[in-house]
Amino acid sequence: MPDTPAIHVQDLTYRYGPLTAVDHISFAVGQGEILGFLGPNGAGKTTTLGMLTGQLRPQEGHALLLGMDITQHTAQIQSQIGVCFETTNLYEGMTAEENLRFFSRLFGVKNLDVAALIQRVGLDGRSRDRVESYSKGMKQRLMIARALVNQPRILFLDEPTEGLDPVSAEAIRRLILEEKQRGATIFLTTHDMLEADRLSDRVAFISQGRIVALDTPHNLKQQYGKRVVKAQVAGPEGRMEAREITLDTPETAGALQDLFNQEQVITIHSEEASLEDIFIQLTGQRLTK
Ligand code: ATP
């Protein structure tokens, strides 16, 4: 049923003793959508993922995946999702091929084209080497391949590009977009706001266990961000001075005219607010340390 949300969460809550790590969050993710789940360390992202994937039992609220309650249809749901968490769970003594064959048997997947999957994640040429000889980026690509063996309808990715070299990070971002093309729904946790901005259809900002905003990057910027023009002008004695003019206000046109009439403009460009700026504005916290 294409209208059933891939993920539907209502009042989901999890506490570790006195600490409420996830505090009555509610949201839905449509089929084929990429939701970026953005928040700083400790915001509750991993705990949310744990509940959505059937590893932690919610203490309040519920989560429906593909229309089924995760606490009641755990195995059925798990056979239709792919999960890639930070902690590697690959067999280091086995090759990439052996790992993928092993996990496909575990999922009961027949006729997996292992070579094609290995090629997709860019590990061809190294597929018969033991995983223990792989770089962090190669292991992460194999983790993603592992999460794809059952052609999941929902893919959960926890910080998939964290700490990776730029080539591996880019390969993983490309794979994420390919999976969306295939029709998969993707739940992506990250504290990389540029990545979230580029990949996500919508982003949720999470802070101290609560969702403080959820919308498309474009709408968040429209609603909370301000666009500015930044210019460098020639000051006294040839020194460069900076000027900043806020766009979209009644004074903008006059200020821009004054800039050009009264100053010698050397460089000029416009900037829109980043998701990081908006996150700070809404929560008072930075996404990254
Ligand atoms: P990170 O990016 O650092 O993993 P996160 O957003 O995924 O952060 P969680 O790992 O879900 O956040 O943690 C949310 C809160 O719950 C944090 O305050 C964390 O210290 C706490 N927490 C997480 N796991 C446990 C645990 N097993 N026992 C006690 N507290 C925990």
Side-chain angles (χ1 to χ4, degrees), residues 16 19 21-22 39-48 86 158-159 191:
Y16 298 101
L19 176 88
V22 176
N41 289 334
K45 303 183 297 293
T46 308
T47 305
T48 303
E86 268 173 293
D158 194 10
E159 307 271 0
H191 51 246

Side-chain angles (χ1 to χ4, degrees), residues 84 96-97 100 113-127 134 137-149 155 164 167-176 178-179:
C84 182
E97 275 185 17
L100 293 181
D113 188 344
V114 173
L117 189 50
I118 282 180
Q119 196 175 19
R120 268 191 77 196
V121 296
L123 289 177
D124 34 332
R126 295 291 307 274
S127 64
Y134 283 12
M138 291 168 70
K139 284 182 189 171
Q140 189 68 5
R141 293 193 210 187
L142 184 57
M143 290 265 291
I144 300 227
R146 194 198 76 105
L148 298 179
V149 295
L155 195 53
L164 296 191
V167 175
S168 291
E170 202 48 36
I172 286 174
R173 292 187 195 112
R174 202 189 57 239
L175 272 167
I176 292 172
E178 281 174 17
E179 282 302 295

Side-chain angles (χ1 to χ4, degrees), residues 14-17 19-22 37-50 56 86 158-159 162 189-191 206 208-209 289:
Y14 197 89
R15 298 183 190 87
Y16 298 101
L19 176 88
T20 306
V22 176
F37 209 59
L38 250 85
N41 289 334
K45 303 183 297 293
T46 308
T47 305
T48 303
L49 271 174
L56 293 176
E86 268 173 293
D158 194 10
E159 307 271 0
E162 161 117 57
T189 81
T190 179
H191 51 246
I206 177 158
Q208 298 178 339
K289 280 181 220 138

